[in-house]
Amino acid sequence: MDLKTYLLEGKAVLGMELGSTRIKAVLIGPDHAPIASGDHTWENRLENGVWTYHLSDVWTGVQDAYANLKKDVESRYGVKLTRLAAIGVSAMMHGYLAFDSQDHQLAQFRTWRNTMTAQAAQELTELFGFNIPQRWSIAHLYQAMLNGEEHVKEIAHLTTLAGYLHWQLTGVKVLGAGEASGMFPIDSEKMDYDAGMLAAFEQKVASMGYAWNLRGILPAVANAGGEAGMLTEKGARMLDPTGELEAGAIFCPPEGDAGTGMTATNAVAARTGNVSAGTSVFAMIVLEKLLSKVYPEIDMVTTPTGKPVAMVHCNNCTSDINAWAGMLKGFCDAAGLSVTMNDIYKALFRSALEGEKDCGGVVNVAMLSGEPVIGLEEGRPMVVRMPDAKLSFANFARSIVCGAMTALKIGMEILKKENVQIDSLLGHGGYFKTPEVGQKLLAAALGTPVSVMETAGEGGPWGMALLAAYRLNRAENQTLEDYLNQRVFASARAVQVTPDAGDAAGFDAYTQRFLQALEAEKTAAAAMK
């Protein structure tokens, strides 16, 4: 069947992901390859000390990304996109979206980027004997309770951004297992929130006198491939205000960007892992067994099918690279040079390979926001260098490219000490867009081979489309692992880079300088308000 007929018959599958800086929609065909896409650029806001997005911006962005997808379909195939077979939606994980019984938003959307829940995260970690990161929904909820925030007593439904979008499009309040595990710890055997921890929480907060119970305000949990509703007439109008999109497409459970990253890199089986590197960076390693103890630097989440995953999440990655690239573009414009942003990024990353292995004594502390993995409550981006440092462009470039991964390297050292085995580690996201560079430096940072697939640039929205296709097409009792191996990645090609000893030693030396510079970073955060 040609793709035009495929589209006219409504057989295409849509994946949509709301990332930190871009909302992207990807349409896939019968072989799971992307056949059209559309996107929308947006940015978070810092309002009253809270990193947030307005829900009106969510819908403006979602509708624009979908409209651009429709234009791409019509341009490529000469047909209007009016029917879809299946849809999946995902978004940046965690955060806090609270609604009352009339579905009114009760408080600002608090994103993953906020580091305002330290007390709650510490108390819950001690209560559960399980690491609760600051960005998790339960940490935000409990902190709001500790703060005595008035809206808490009115909560009827708590969800994440992916859960919110799915709910509005289908009317169903549900999350995929991986996304749910960023709200509250999951029991992988029962595929539901951990009953013992729910009971411990209820007991701890009983004296506060809230009418709701936690289980009652959390979304249901669904396994990958499970039922999760259909596109309603209302949802179709919200996605496509032109009225051209028909209702009825089936939905898979919504996931977070961690789950879609695992799916897009075929890293959902034990001993596999992936590194997603964009505005934030996180490594996801699927475990054979649980870690020996609780580590505050390691998040325990799950795959979309509920397998335990050790996650090292860092709030800061490419934002500082983007800032420097923008500054350099301004310099080129001022000098009358005709240079594109793509040229700037290529020059930065390629020059990084020409720099000295330890960046020549130049250290970039690329912290725009707090970074719990390295003990920072607030960020103040800075470049520090020793008096005898060699401030060449190549050393500077290498310092900002390495600086984006240094916090991740520090967090991943814990998994090395736990003897966690990794058979394959795949990279995806903007950090790997320039061939070889990010891959080579990450391999040096982590001391393990790093592969990048040809499809790595498709990222989370493609991974979400694959989960929707799995919901639509899977055979009875077919696991997600088998579906991906047999139907999606059977002929996929990947380029692997192994660690270079010189690069690894240089990155180790750079990391020691980075750790020394953290005292200056903390002082700057305290002094510069």
Side-chain angles (χ1 to χ4, degrees):
M1 183 184 298
D2 67 276
L3 289 177
K4 182 175 180 178
T5 304
Y6 192 81
L7 288 160
L8 287 170
E9 294 186 359
K11 293 184 176 180
V13 173
L14 172 65
M16 182 170 280
E17 184 160 286
L18 284 72
S20 300
T21 59
R22 191 166 66 141
I23 299 171
K24 187 174 181 183
V26 169
L27 207 63
I28 62 173
D31 63 352
H32 301 90
I35 58 175
S37 65
D39 66 1
H40 171 86
T41 300
W42 69 339
E43 189 55 76
N44 55 191
R45 307 164 183 251
L46 183 61
E47 295 182 344
N48 302 316
V50 176
W51 291 103
T52 189
Y53 298 85
H54 294 181
L55 293 190
S56 59
D57 293 339
V58 169
W59 291 109
T60 298
V62 164
Q63 290 167 4
D64 187 48
Y66 184 77
N68 290 329
L69 171 74
K70 287 175 60 180
K71 291 176 185 175
D72 194 33
V73 167
E74 192 159 5
S75 172
R76 289 171 182 259
Y77 309 105
V79 299
K80 287 188 177 296
L81 185 62
T82 60
R83 297 165 58 197
L84 294 165
I87 303 174
V89 293
S90 62
M92 58 195 95
M93 286 183 73
H94 318 115
Y96 182 80
L97 273 166
F99 299 87
D100 66 15
S101 59
Q102 303 302 309
D103 298 339
H104 297 138
Q105 186 180 5
L106 292 170
Q108 282 176 294
F109 170 37
R110 302 168 188 181
T111 76
W112 57 270
R113 186 165 233 166
N114 291 287
T115 51
M116 62 204 310
T117 62
Q119 180 185 356
Q122 181 178 349
E123 288 190 20
L124 292 176
T125 296
E126 292 172 357
L127 177 67
F128 299 151
F130 187 98
N131 184 39
I132 303 296
Q134 288 201 49
R135 66 187 175 280
W136 279 23
S137 305
I138 186 60
H140 279 285
L141 173 63
Y142 185 50
Q143 190 67 56
M145 296 165 74
L146 292 174
N147 294 346
E149 296 183 37
E150 279 295 312
H151 79 270
V152 175
K153 64 178 182 295
E154 303 295 332
I155 295 176
H157 177 50
L158 189 66
T159 191
T160 65
L161 184 55
Y164 165 76
L165 189 62
H166 183 97
W167 166 38
Q168 296 300 302
L169 296 176
T170 67
V172 179
K173 297 173 180 176
V174 67
L175 291 179
E179 174 74 336
S181 70
M183 289 199 81
F184 192 89
I186 291 288
D187 182 331
S188 293
E189 296 295 324
K190 297 181 179 179
M191 284 301 295
D192 203 353
Y193 303 111
D194 188 285
M197 295 183 196
L198 283 172
F201 182 83
E202 295 294 355
Q203 183 177 359
K204 185 174 183 65
V205 304
S207 62
M208 295 184 179
Y210 293 106
W212 49 260
N213 66 75
L214 182 57
R215 186 63 185 86
I217 65 173
L218 293 175
V221 181
N223 202 342
E227 293 187 14
M230 303 175 72
L231 182 65
T232 63
E233 291 287 352
K234 174 187 173 185
R237 297 295 75 76
M238 294 181 77
L239 186 57
D240 183 12
T242 68
E244 293 175 345
L245 179 61
E246 298 176 13
I250 68 168
F251 269 73
C252 65
E255 270 297 343
D257 48 5
T260 60
M262 284 187 274
T263 305
T265 55
N266 196 22
V268 295
R271 295 170 67 110
T272 64
N274 78 94
V275 173
S276 176
T279 304
S280 64
V281 59
F282 49 83
M284 311 282 293
I285 311 300
V286 187
L287 300 178
E288 295 179 285
K289 61 181 181 179
L290 295 178
L291 302 179
S292 65
K293 64 178 183 178
V294 175
Y295 294 95
E297 302 88 351
I298 306 293
D299 305 355
M300 292 303 302
V301 291
T302 76
T303 67
T305 55
K307 288 185 171 63
V309 173
M311 177 183 191
V312 179
H313 182 284
C314 302
N315 291 341
N316 301 274
C317 185
T318 59
S319 292
D320 200 50
I321 297 175
N322 296 340
W324 282 111
M327 184 277 293
L328 292 169
K329 178 65 164 63
F331 169 79
C332 292
D333 291 345
L337 303 175
S338 179
V339 176
T340 67
M341 285 300 295
N342 191 45
D343 294 332
I344 298 285
Y345 283 115
K346 285 182 179 178
L348 277 170
F349 274 79
R350 289 174 178 168
S351 295
L353 291 187
E354 303 301 320
E356 295 176 63
K357 303 295 187 182
D358 65 350
C359 305
V362 181
V363 177
N364 183 49
V365 185
M367 303 298 145
L368 272 75
S369 62
E371 193 61 86
V373 167
I374 53 177
L376 288 180
E377 294 185 5
E378 295 183 69
R380 300 291 185 271
M382 62 167 62
V383 174
V384 184
R385 56 193 171 99
M386 299 298 291
D388 60 348
K390 300 171 185 175
L391 186 57
S392 65
F393 179 69
N395 282 343
F396 167 75
R398 192 177 183 96
S399 75
I400 67 168
V401 176
C402 287
M405 285 293 166
T406 311
L408 180 71
K409 171 180 170 61
I410 293 166
M412 287 291 287
E413 288 297 322
I414 296 169
L415 297 185
K416 280 188 181 180
K417 293 175 183 175
E418 282 272 347
N419 295 314
V420 171
Q421 300 299 307
I422 306 172
D423 290 339
S424 62
L425 186 64
L426 290 106
H428 63 111
Y431 186 81
F432 301 102
K433 189 172 181 179
T434 302
E436 185 184 349
V437 183
Q439 195 177 352
K440 183 178 177 67
L441 293 177
L442 181 62
L446 303 186
T448 190
V450 175
S451 299
V452 172
M453 291 185 179
E454 290 180 338
T455 53
E458 304 300 341
W462 182 60
M464 197 66 233
L466 296 182
L467 289 170
Y470 174 61
R471 165 74 182 91
L472 179 69
N473 300 320
R474 74 185 181 101
E476 187 176 357
N477 298 322
Q478 185 179 31
T479 66
L480 177 61
E481 293 91 330
D482 287 344
Y483 185 88
L484 295 176
N485 285 328
Q486 296 164 10
R487 301 194 57 174
V488 180
F489 293 101
S491 58
R493 289 187 293 178
V495 175
Q496 186 182 79
V497 171
T498 57
D500 174 83
D503 285 335
F507 212 127
D508 286 344
Y510 174 84
T511 302
Q512 291 305 309
R513 286 290 189 201
F514 179 92
L515 289 169
Q516 292 166 1
L518 288 183
E519 288 305 312
E521 174 77 4
K522 293 173 182 176
T523 300
M528 298 173 66
K529 298 294 184 184

